Amino acid sequence: MPDLDRILEESWRRVRRKHLFPELPAPVWSDGDDRVGLDVRRKRIHLSRPFVLSASPELENHEVVEGLLDHAVSHHTFCPWNFAVHLRLYGRAKAVLRKKETALRALDAFMDVAADTYCVNAKTGPLPKIYRHLSRSPLDEILHGVYQELWQVDLGIAGTSDLCRRLSRLPYLDRRKWDDSVTRFSKLLRPILEETARDSGDAPCAMGRHGLSRYAPDDIAAGLEQLAAESSGPSEFIELVTDFQDEIHAAAEGSRSGMGRGTGRTFSADRLYYMKLAESFSLPVRRITTELSGSLYPHHHTPWEAGQPVRDMDPWTSFGKILPGITQTWTRVEGRISGPEQKVPDCLIVIDSSASMKNPALCLSHAVLGAACACDAYLRNGAEVAVYNFSDASAGGKRLLPFSRNREEIYETLCHFFGGGTRIRPEDMEPLQTSPPADLFLITDMQLTNLDVLIQYLTTCRNRVTAVHIGMNEQIHSFRGSVQGRNNVDVHAVERMEDIPRIVLGKVGEYLAIREPFQTTSGGKP
């Protein structure tokens, strides 16, 4: 009986060195019955002990172990790289194949070819030997023919077909071309994938499936954030993630932040889109404030002039002379001491979801995104957020969420779209008035049927108000003229829709005593 633990330890040392020491824990054995029994879950590699022991007599145990480790590490370091890339490539495959299971099989095959080609081309290893002695399904026969063409190694495929040669010409090692490559890969393999699906019941590729369960909750959360930033709009994002709502929900249970579904709630991909896209923006907050101490102390020098008192002269920097312009005198300022941590104010978001606004589920609503960025900034700094979503509030077209820190509820209320008239009821906001007053954040196109009522409310309330309007119209001119000179109301004009998140974040930055100008992280859009 071979000492598999020792073989695994020695093989892992060699593989880590070849792959430049990836940040992965030591692999472990499993007793699963999978053909290869290889899984990467929570960044840990599991190798099937039964498969290694039952491998071809022509293969040494250490060759099998090292080949499987090469394959697993290449998936981690090269393809698919992360959850966002995995899901994006799935979207390209599904656009061709239409069915989820067929698209997943095509993607599994593409990722195997990319990872294995990277591994074999960049490093030496026994992986081709393993493929040479594996039993093959019809799909494996095609893929191994592709390997034989790519690697120029005999894998026992007698006369590779034209399909294998066409597949081997795809640039698997160029990440920038993966979107196009997986599309062409899926088109070429569509007949064999559909045929084998009927004959073998969606049998996996030689190295098994690469499902989303292999990703840790934090990996999925980060991947969704990246995917939201890269998507052209909510419809593209929604189409991708809806197929995997169960996996995302399972990951949400182990994640520190919600991912679109709370207890007892249905999955909401549009809410998840704005939640993750807003997380692409970050606001640094200065939390420690200072208070005046009441005493004066020498702070800096200024030239002494005739007529000024002489008691603050500094003889040590005046060359021993008392002459205007040469003699230096101390300027005193009031000292400051460290004070208590300043509490970030709560925020009431007032958002217009009438028919003149964009539906956030169909296209990118910069109004919802701006409100989401503001919510994220307040929530990150310990404050609470309330939402008043209105259309024709007098006719019941409104949603009111009390102050909360529940992100799912907040974003669900923000994303609700009424699509009716535009009439606000300021009295609905009165129960949400707090002491000290919360910040009030208003986003609308100002085409309200009772704009004068809103103006009167904003000019008499004690809240700090940021009003963001979309476009220009007569109502906006009226609003601007009415609130002009009010110290608590700041109005921002938006000529381009893409400017809304920047204006929102910039104003929130002033509220929260930001140290630096507005900036985005993680390649955030817009």
Side-chain angles (χ1 to χ4, degrees), residues 64 96 115 141 168 186 208 256 280 312 336 343 450 469 481 514 526:
V64 180
V96 174
E141 194 78 17
S168 67
S186 300
R256 291 186 294 271
S280 300
D312 287 330
R336 295 176 179 267
K343 183 182 185 298
N450 61 338
H469 63 78
I514 300 304

Side-chain angles (χ1 to χ4, degrees), residues 7 33 50 75 82 100 111 134 169 191 201 213 220 298-299 311 331 366 369 381 395 440 446-447 450 468 483 492:
I7 292 174
D33 295 327
H75 272 300
N82 62 23
K100 176 182 177 180
M111 292 193 300
L134 282 177
R169 298 190 189 108
S213 59
I220 292 182
H299 184 263
R311 63 177 178 273
T331 298
H366 293 87
L369 176 58
N381 292 282
L440 196 153
M446 297 293 175
Q447 298 184 34
N450 61 338
V468 177
V483 300
H492 295 278

Side-chain angles (χ1 to χ4, degrees), residues 184-298:
R184 295 166 59 192
F185 186 89
S186 300
K187 288 180 179 178
L188 291 171
L189 276 184
R190 178 162 52 189
I192 187 67
L193 286 170
E194 294 174 348
E195 180 181 348
T196 55
R198 291 191 297 268
D199 297 341
S200 59
D202 278 341
C205 299
M207 287 296 185
R209 292 191 178 278
H210 307 292
L212 300 187
S213 59
R214 67 197 293 266
Y215 295 100
D218 289 344
D219 293 332
I220 292 182
L224 289 172
E225 181 179 328
Q226 179 183 340
L227 187 68
E230 294 175 350
S231 298
S232 60
S235 56
E236 179 183 346
F237 180 88
I238 290 169
E239 184 178 357
L240 286 178
V241 302
T242 301
D243 283 348
F244 301 99
Q245 55 182 291
D246 293 335
E247 291 88 341
I248 293 173
H249 174 49
E253 295 177 349
S255 176
R256 291 186 294 271
S257 61
M259 286 191 281
R261 182 175 178 179
T263 304
R265 294 181 178 273
T266 57
F267 182 83
S268 176
D270 57 338
R271 179 172 71 231
L272 179 62
Y273 171 74
Y274 289 100
M275 184 184 302
K276 291 303 171 185
L277 187 55
E279 290 177 2
S280 300
F281 299 85
S282 178
L283 293 174
V285 179
R286 184 169 59 247
R287 290 215 170 242
I288 302 299
T289 63
T290 57
E291 297 177 348
L292 297 176
S293 64
S295 59
L296 300 177
Y297 75 99

